[in-house]
Amino acid sequence: MNEHTSRPEWAPNERADEFATAYVKGSEIAPKASPRFVKRKERSVAEYVEGVRNNDRTILAQAITLVESNAAKHMETAQQILNELLPYVGKSVRIGITGVPGAGKSTFIEAFGQFLCEQGHRVAVLAVDPSSSITGGSILGDKTRMENLARHPRAFIRPSPSGGTLGGVHRKTRETMLLCEAAGYDVILVETVGVGQSEFVVRGMVDFFMLLALTGAGDELQGMKKGIMELVDAVVINKADGDNKPKALAAKEEYNQFLHYLRPATPGWETKAYTCSALYGEGIEDVWRVVETFVAVTKQSGVFDTRRRHQLKDWVYAMIKDYLETSFFANPRVREKLPIIENHVMSGTKAVTQAVQELIAAYESRE
């Protein structure tokens, strides 16, 4: 045995010749150095475009992160990506789904999404989580609640914080929809927080808008906001199973009576109520048939394309408002004066109107 080679202490002496285990002195493994943070290489616009077109989920998710970022560099790159992908967008059916908490939106979307995937469709779910008014963060629990759909190879789920945006829809949801369409997803489901009349924001970016409701319509209709009912193309009463089924059918009739007297949200389309059980998968196929009929009817009448064009115009105004708000609060003169003026307003020493005029004057000042 080589002089630099030794046997372990636990090797049996009486069988030294037969025992093969040995180690070489001085060959101990040096301790590993602390791992260093390796900055990820930035992708080019062409790499993002190619990755999205090939439905590379990692690149698609990174592209959506760029779209959601407020950093000037990221926003510029995101717009370049979107411009390159414009020829490949607009070929999906965009469906907005809203409803009060407890209506089973996540359960319904998972059942609906799985059904569509099994039918050969590719489904993207943009699940908007409520943002905390304190931290600005979100729970982002939709992937947890939609475990089966999240694992389906034909589905893509992207939870995004609402960021306090009216209607609970992230201000970049429109751009995210375009990225998903370019990646080949032909059904886009937008789940909203569900905050009543402000859901008109969702109506302005989808083709078909659905309200998920519960039984007990008699009591619920008393407090139902007329505004939200005039925005939807269908009311779907979930949890129509077991002992609850008769109540769901009764609720369906009450909703239909109520809807009969309202102006429909889409010209040439009659909004009606339907029942389903997302838990047991009952009525899901019927809901999809309603959507398919809606798309066929509105495309034939031209309403579908007209709505899409108007949505693009609304998008222009939304982006202008977003830019002006960001520009206003980023202005150094406004940032300097804002805390002082806030204190004056809260202490009652300055009227709100005067405070606003001073801030606008500071913003418009060229000094």
Side-chain angles (χ1 to χ4, degrees):
M1 184 181 292
N2 165 326
E3 62 178 350
H4 297 295
T5 302
S6 302
R7 296 191 180 280
E9 294 179 358
W10 41 264
N13 294 326
E14 65 276 9
R15 300 174 59 191
D17 294 337
E18 300 175 19
F19 202 79
T21 301
Y23 68 91
V24 179
K25 289 183 179 180
S27 65
E28 290 83 356
I29 298 173
K32 290 184 178 180
S34 301
R36 290 185 176 182
F37 173 75
V38 179
K39 187 178 179 181
R40 188 179 68 198
K41 179 188 173 184
E42 291 188 7
R43 301 184 191 277
S44 66
V45 171
E47 287 174 326
Y48 274 113
V49 170
E50 183 182 1
V52 170
R53 290 289 296 129
N54 291 331
N55 190 27
D56 184 315
R57 290 164 179 263
T58 301
I59 294 180
L60 175 59
Q62 290 171 0
I64 293 174
T65 300
L66 280 180
V67 158
E68 292 178 343
S69 173
N70 288 323
K73 182 180 178 181
H74 292 165
M75 291 175 72
E76 182 181 348
T77 303
Q79 294 312 308
Q80 291 176 9
I81 295 168
L82 287 169
N83 283 333
E84 293 289 328
L85 292 172
L86 276 179
Y88 310 104
V89 306
K91 299 179 177 68
S92 74
V93 177
R94 303 165 183 172
I95 303 172
I97 301 174
T98 189
V100 296
K105 291 193 294 292
S106 295
T107 305
F108 174 82
I109 289 173
E110 179 166 54
F112 193 46
Q114 284 185 292
F115 168 78
L116 292 173
C117 288
E118 296 305 322
Q119 295 297 309
H121 294 280
R122 294 178 63 193
V123 181
V125 180
L126 309 183
V128 183
D129 262 350
S131 291
S132 167
S133 59
I134 299 172
T135 65
S138 61
I139 303 170
L140 301 181
D142 288 283
K143 275 195 173 181
T144 305
R145 295 197 298 270
M146 303 180 197
E147 288 182 4
N148 294 329
L149 184 59
R151 288 195 293 265
H152 202 289
R154 301 183 69 85
F156 176 79
I157 299 178
R158 175 70 181 202
S160 299
S162 65
T165 308
L166 184 64
V169 179
H170 193 278
R171 63 185 179 85
K172 299 294 187 179
T173 302
R174 289 180 175 91
E175 289 95 331
T176 303
M177 282 197 300
L178 297 184
L179 289 172
C180 291
E181 288 177 347
Y185 294 96
D186 62 331
V187 179
I188 313 292
L189 305 179
V190 182
E191 179 193 2
T192 72
V193 177
V195 290
Q197 288 180 322
S198 58
E199 296 298 272
F200 76 85
V201 177
V202 189
R203 173 78 275 180
M205 65 175 70
V206 298
D207 307 311
F208 187 90
F209 192 31
M210 182 190 311
L211 171 66
L212 216 60
L214 294 167
T215 55
D219 295 332
E220 199 165 320
L221 285 174
Q222 297 300 320
M224 178 63 69
K225 301 285 187 180
K226 183 181 176 184
I228 183 68
M229 298 296 284
E230 288 181 329
L231 294 176
V232 300
D233 298 305
V235 176
V236 178
I237 300 155
N238 192 19
K239 303 183 181 180
D241 48 59
D243 295 339
N244 206 40
K245 192 165 186 176
K247 295 179 183 178
L249 292 172
K252 171 186 168 183
E253 294 304 316
E254 291 189 48
Y255 272 107
N256 278 330
Q257 289 176 16
F258 183 74
L259 290 166
H260 180 72
Y261 294 101
L262 295 180
R263 185 179 65 179
T266 303
W269 176 259
E270 185 180 359
T271 302
K272 292 183 179 180
Y274 308 88
T275 60
C276 79
S277 170
L279 187 63
Y280 295 102
E282 297 172 0
I284 298 297
E285 185 176 358
D286 296 334
V287 174
W288 175 239
R289 267 201 295 265
V290 171
V291 176
E292 286 185 309
T293 303
F294 172 89
V295 172
V297 168
T298 53
K299 281 190 173 181
Q300 185 176 6
S301 66
V303 170
F304 189 94
D305 293 328
T306 300
R307 173 173 279 165
R308 285 277 180 102
R309 288 195 296 270
H310 286 165
Q311 287 176 350
L312 290 173
K313 184 187 76 173
D314 293 341
W315 188 0
V316 170
Y317 285 97
M319 290 192 70
I320 291 171
K321 290 176 182 177
D322 182 57
Y323 169 79
L324 289 174
E325 182 180 353
T326 303
S327 173
F328 181 86
F329 288 106
N331 183 284
R333 291 180 294 276
V334 171
R335 292 175 66 178
E336 181 181 349
K337 292 179 70 71
L338 188 57
I340 301 169
I341 289 180
E342 281 180 347
N343 288 331
H344 285 319
V345 170
M346 289 189 292
S347 63
T349 58
K350 192 183 293 289
V352 172
T353 305
Q354 183 185 355
V356 172
Q357 288 174 343
E358 288 185 19
L359 287 171
I360 292 175
Y363 175 70
E364 293 179 341
S365 173
R366 297 182 180 276
E367 296 178 1

